[in-house]
Amino acid sequence: MPYNKNMHTTGYYKEPGPKLDEESPFKSMMERFRFAAEILELDEGMFQYLASPVKQVIVSVPVVMDSGDIQVFEGYRVIHDNVLGPSKGGIRYAPDVNLEEVKALASWMTWKCAIVNVPFGGAKGGVRCDPNQLSRNELERLTRRYTANMLEVFGPDRDIPAPDMNTDEQIMAWIMDTYSMNAHKTENAVVTGKPIILGGSHGRKEATGRGVVTVTLAALNKAGIAPNKCTTVVQGFGNVGSVSAKLMYEQGSKVIAISDITGGYYNENGIDIPEAMEYAKKNDNSLEGYSEADKITNDELLQLECDVLIPAAKEDQISPRNADKINARIIAEGANGPITANADSILEDKGIMVVPDILANAGGVTVSYFEWVQDRQGYFWTEERVNRRLNRMMRAAFDNLFNVREEHDITLRQAAYVFGINKVATTLRMRGIYA
Ligand SMILES: NC(=O)C1=CN([C@@H]2O[C@H](COP(=O)(O)OP(=O)(O)OC[C@H]3O[C@@H](n4cnc5c(N)ncnc54)[C@H](O)[C@@H]3O)[C@@H](O)[C@H]2O)C=CC1
Ligand SMILES: O=C(O)CCC(=O)C(=O)O
């Protein structure tokens, strides 16, 4: 029987879902999933299968702090699906990480990998901690203990972590080393986003922002706007936000505002992004005190009039609370889940083209795939080759979803869910796991 949202579901996933807040990434993911399930006429069993993660692991992570005291953190890894291949997805360190959030992020990875056509399933992990309060040694002990507790989950053919919020190349290096020590051999393909000297790929660090800009240029082209005539606003100035801002700046776009956790920085004449990056680098990765622009709030930044808005910080930034005040023509979601599902129709009514996260930020996992391939072959590519292939795959994914959008007369986000879910469901039926 085809899935229908009024149907009583009897399996693991029950409407309206376990203890969800009014707005939560998991709720947003499920609302969009349901829409696609109806278009695809997924039957109840398939709906249940794809709505339920394959594995959810919670570990306690005891760490001896520099003071000698023991502090216990909670760590998560959710494998949403592994039907297309080993599961893949980042690990984030943040004080508010929780299982529901990681479940949403893991499912997004499944659809994202399907959309860019990389042979991976979806996963995500996190440790509930405030990395700003930890010394480097504490961070290393936390990372190694989390990895030790996940030895049976991770593996180059099983589940392959990568960086996400507040995790970087150094943390990936500690994960690789801990896993390798226990495997009694060097296993560099167990993690991606590593330092190049340890088997990392050229271009991985910039890949997510590069992919965001590739699809933004494609969207600008559809809207008939020249990149060197457009204005851009970027929320978040970490890995994804700063690279997106820099590459839009290099395209000749006037980047009129940037932001981080300390607030927004606005200059109507445009911000010199390489200079702002230099400032942040010297200032502990913070824009605090940046004086070449006026200080505004992150809320004000999101409402600025611009051609391109790139939310590249965190989830739930645009919701019914502020969606009708958004003044952008195109939104390219650098972050995962920056727009809540109940804001989608408000933005659609305003005629804003949204390039959804599971397409827009898929450049990271695409180059992670290249890194995994290089590690397994022991043969490493030039940066030029990585970037060329990345641009080609992102552009192909954009064009494909644009066609799906036109075929069904739906939004680009809905097209992304329809395509991603259909691909996983079709693979599942062929494998015969689902009978
Ligand atoms: N790093 C990667 O390769 C990928 C990251 N993403 C997503 O992109 C987003 C950002 O990730 P990264 O750049 O890696 O993280 P990051 O930790 O390098 O940077 C996060 C940035 O957001 C800022 N920020 C945090 N809270 C904020 C708030 N409330 N308001 C404004 N700014 C805030 C931080 O100050 C920092 O500038 C996340 O949603 C992540 O899941 C998605 C795909 C891949
Ligand atoms: O590079 C990867 O494997 C995953 C990146 C990630 O976590 C994401 O796309 O959200």
Side-chain angles (χ1 to χ4, degrees):
M1 192 194 304
Y3 171 75
N4 156 338
K5 69 171 177 281
N6 299 318
M7 159 191 294
H8 173 66
T9 58
T10 52
Y12 172 87
Y13 177 75
K14 299 216 175 31
E15 307 285 352
K19 281 198 223 140
L20 297 181
D21 301 324
E22 253 318 285
E23 277 158 15
S24 83
F26 189 72
K27 188 172 177 215
S28 285
M29 191 286 294
M30 279 311 301
E31 235 171 277
R32 292 157 179 160
F33 178 83
R34 264 191 293 273
F35 178 88
E38 283 194 57
I39 292 197
L40 292 166
E41 299 188 353
L42 282 192
D43 60 63
E44 167 75 1
M46 183 62 85
F47 178 92
Q48 285 289 339
Y49 190 107
L50 296 178
S52 316
V54 165
K55 194 183 278 186
Q56 304 174 56
V57 182
I58 304 180
V59 290
S60 75
V61 185
V63 176
V64 179
M65 307 302 279
D66 293 345
S67 63
D69 295 340
I70 294 172
Q71 204 172 319
V72 182
F73 300 87
E74 191 159 89
Y76 314 93
R77 186 73 179 169
V78 172
I79 294 178
H80 172 255
D81 203 77
N82 47 16
V83 69
L84 295 183
S87 51
K88 189 84 189 80
I91 292 174
R92 64 172 52 175
Y93 288 175
D96 53 356
V97 178
N98 59 73
L99 188 66
E100 287 302 304
E101 178 183 83
V102 178
K103 270 166 67 179
L105 289 159
S107 339
W108 281 326
M109 286 308 305
T110 301
W111 319 135
K112 191 183 297 186
C113 291
I115 287 167
V116 281
N117 205 20
V118 296
F120 290 138
K124 204 82 175 194
V127 180
R128 184 186 268 265
C129 66
D130 184 350
N132 295 323
Q133 302 299 317
L134 299 175
S135 70
R136 184 185 158 92
N137 285 338
E138 289 167 342
L139 207 54
E140 176 171 357
R141 289 196 287 272
L142 175 127
T143 303
R144 289 189 183 277
R145 188 59 189 248
Y146 169 73
T147 308
N149 288 353
M150 292 290 177
L151 284 177
E152 279 146 30
V153 178
F154 297 163
D157 296 308
R158 259 196 316 259
D159 177 45
I160 307 141
D164 191 74
M165 277 177 80
N166 297 324
T167 56
D168 59 12
E169 292 185 327
Q170 177 59 75
I171 287 170
M172 299 307 116
W174 289 327
I175 294 176
M176 183 206 120
D177 184 64
T178 308
Y179 187 89
S180 297
M181 279 162 56
N182 284 278
H184 305 294
K185 59 181 174 163
T186 296
E187 269 295 5
N188 53 13
V190 70
V191 70
T192 61
K194 300 177 292 292
I196 289 175
I197 197 167
L198 298 187
S201 177
H202 286 288
R204 172 59 186 89
K205 211 158 142 189
E206 300 79 22
T208 309
R210 185 173 293 281
V212 169
V213 170
T214 303
V215 295
T216 300
L217 295 180
L220 281 168
N221 182 264
K222 295 281 182 201
I225 306 170
N228 61 359
K229 298 261 174 342
C230 85
T231 51
T232 300
V233 167
V234 182
Q235 186 196 35
F237 208 63
N239 177 299
V240 182
S242 65
V243 174
S244 303
K246 179 172 138 253
L247 296 179
M248 286 306 289
Y249 174 88
E250 285 174 4
Q251 287 291 325
S253 170
K254 198 198 278 183
V255 183
I256 57 172
I258 54 177
S259 82
D260 66 8
I261 188 90
T262 68
Y265 302 84
Y266 168 66
N267 185 335
E268 64 175 342
N269 299 317
I271 294 172
D272 181 334
I273 299 299
E275 187 206 72
M277 286 173 85
E278 202 48 43
Y279 179 87
K281 197 169 153 196
K282 287 193 188 136
N283 200 31
D284 227 2
N285 292 325
S286 168
L287 288 169
E288 180 79 79
Y290 182 64
S291 58
E292 304 299 316
D294 297 331
K295 187 88 190 273
I296 57 174
T297 65
N298 263 291
D299 251 8
E300 287 165 338
L301 171 128
L302 292 171
Q303 296 170 24
L304 288 171
E305 189 175 340
C306 60
D307 295 303
V308 175
L309 172 61
I310 303 178
K314 56 186 295 195
E315 302 94 16
D316 297 351
Q317 297 300 295
I318 299 173
S319 68
R321 181 182 58 80
N322 58 358
D324 63 337
K325 302 191 195 96
I326 303 296
N327 264 311
R329 295 175 71 182
I330 293 167
I331 303 178
E333 293 185 312
N336 285 304
I339 300 175
T340 62
N342 51 5
D344 284 348
S345 59
I346 304 173
L347 299 174
E348 192 185 349
D349 290 347
K350 286 173 72 85
I352 298 172
M353 188 201 294
V354 176
V355 187
D357 45 10
I358 51 177
L359 167 64
N361 67 32
V365 75
T366 302
V367 175
S368 277
Y369 166 55
F370 298 162
E371 181 172 330
W372 181 77
V373 167
Q374 293 170 73
D375 289 339
R376 287 163 71 99
Q377 292 189 334
Y379 177 74
F380 293 88
W381 307 354
T382 61
E383 183 162 3
E384 193 265 330
R385 185 183 204 187
V386 169
N387 290 346
R388 187 164 21 91
R389 291 186 174 195
L390 168 64
N391 286 342
R392 196 162 65 211
M393 284 173 71
M394 291 299 295
R395 185 64 216 223
F398 180 92
D399 290 343
N400 177 39
L401 293 189
F402 216 84
N403 291 339
V404 176
R405 167 191 188 262
E406 290 190 341
E407 183 189 332
H408 292 283
D409 193 20
I410 52 181
T411 65
L412 206 50
R413 187 192 307 282
Q414 289 160 348
Y417 277 75
V418 166
F419 179 82
I421 291 168
N422 192 35
K423 179 166 174 185
V424 179
T426 306
T427 313
L428 203 47
R429 285 190 200 101
M430 279 186 181
R431 281 181 60 157
I433 294 169
Y434 170 71

